[in-house]
Amino acid sequence: MSRTSPARAKGAPSGRGQAHSIRIIGGDWKRTPLPVIDLDGLRPTPDRVRETLFNWLGQQLDGQRCLDLFAGSGALGFEAASRGAARVLMVERNARAAAQLRANQAKLSARAIEIAEADALRLAASLAPGSFDVVFIDPPFGEDLLGRSLELAAPLVSADGFLYVESGESLDAAAHAALEGWSVVRQGKAGAVYFHLLQRENEE
């Protein structure tokens, strides 16, 4: 997401009206390029990070319900839908970025995808607990939104589900009250981006 405003979306580097694109890595739309608008601070999840993440998740997400907060380019949400997710709710506040998400949804005839042009935190607060199997969160770096994002997103994950977090620093689950009872099961780093997959700890 943007380094300067929650209204900006994550994705490609800034420029002057240049076209950018992402490429779906696997699933039904494998190798399909999707346009990404040029917005300052936009940084799509890189190909190799997505490939690693979906290896962790088991490649296919058949029948699963996914939430992509701070959707930006939609790289994670479109990838999830390509891999069989039954529902993907993508939340993006920036009007231009949301319009591009809708255009890409139409290009793919992606019926499983819902796009909400809304503030991610406000919308997350209105969603039912346990209503998603995978929640992706990648709040704007430098905006001090990670703690609140975790607080709102963690309850939305189903009992055996996963929480995926991208951040500008390594995530210490113990440092966040919202992640009590959670553990980082996988993690990695690509450039300046740290990425983590979390799951609730087994209480037995």
Side-chain angles (χ1 to χ4, degrees):
M1 281 295 273
S2 168
R3 295 181 296 272
T4 57
S5 169
R8 300 281 179 98
K10 72 181 181 188
S14 60
R16 293 183 174 83
Q18 299 170 336
H20 304 283
S21 66
I22 57 172
R23 178 176 60 91
I24 295 178
I25 302 299
D28 293 341
W29 305 317
K30 184 176 181 179
R31 299 189 183 91
T32 302
L34 296 176
V36 176
I37 65 166
D38 182 42
L39 286 176
D40 184 32
L42 214 70
R43 36 176 193 84
T45 300
D47 287 7
R48 70 183 181 93
V49 173
R50 277 183 285 137
E51 185 171 16
T52 299
L53 168 61
F54 286 93
N55 283 338
W56 292 346
L57 292 173
Q59 293 291 336
Q60 291 299 116
L61 299 183
D62 294 342
Q64 296 195 39
R65 304 158 299 168
C66 301
L67 172 62
D68 186 4
L69 287 174
F70 309 101
S73 68
L76 294 172
F78 285 117
E79 192 76 45
S82 180
R83 294 169 185 263
R87 181 193 182 201
V88 180
L89 175 57
M90 304 167 86
V91 186
E92 175 52 53
R93 180 176 175 179
N94 183 280
R96 290 179 58 209
Q100 185 63 68
L101 293 176
R102 289 190 288 268
N104 288 341
Q105 177 191 25
K107 173 181 177 177
L108 297 170
S109 298
R111 298 184 190 87
I113 290 176
E114 304 168 43
I115 296 165
E117 186 177 328
D119 180 88
L121 299 183
R122 289 181 183 175
L123 189 140
S126 72
L127 297 171
S131 52
F132 296 94
D133 302 299
V134 184
V135 174
F136 306 105
I137 63 170
D138 180 9
F141 289 5
E143 289 290 324
D144 198 26
L145 293 175
L146 182 59
R148 182 60 174 158
S149 299
L150 293 171
E151 180 183 341
L152 292 169
L156 303 178
V157 183
S158 60
D160 297 321
F162 292 94
L163 180 63
Y164 171 75
V165 181
E166 281 187 34
S167 59
E169 58 187 28
S170 182
L171 178 66
D172 178 5
H176 295 273
L179 294 179
E180 183 178 357
W182 289 78
S183 61
V184 177
V185 294
R186 298 288 183 91
Q187 60 185 315
K189 183 177 184 290
V193 176
Y194 293 81
F195 54 104
H196 319 76
L197 190 67
L198 295 90
Q199 195 168 32
R200 287 186 178 88
E201 296 168 356
N202 192 330
E203 297 181 356
E204 296 180 2

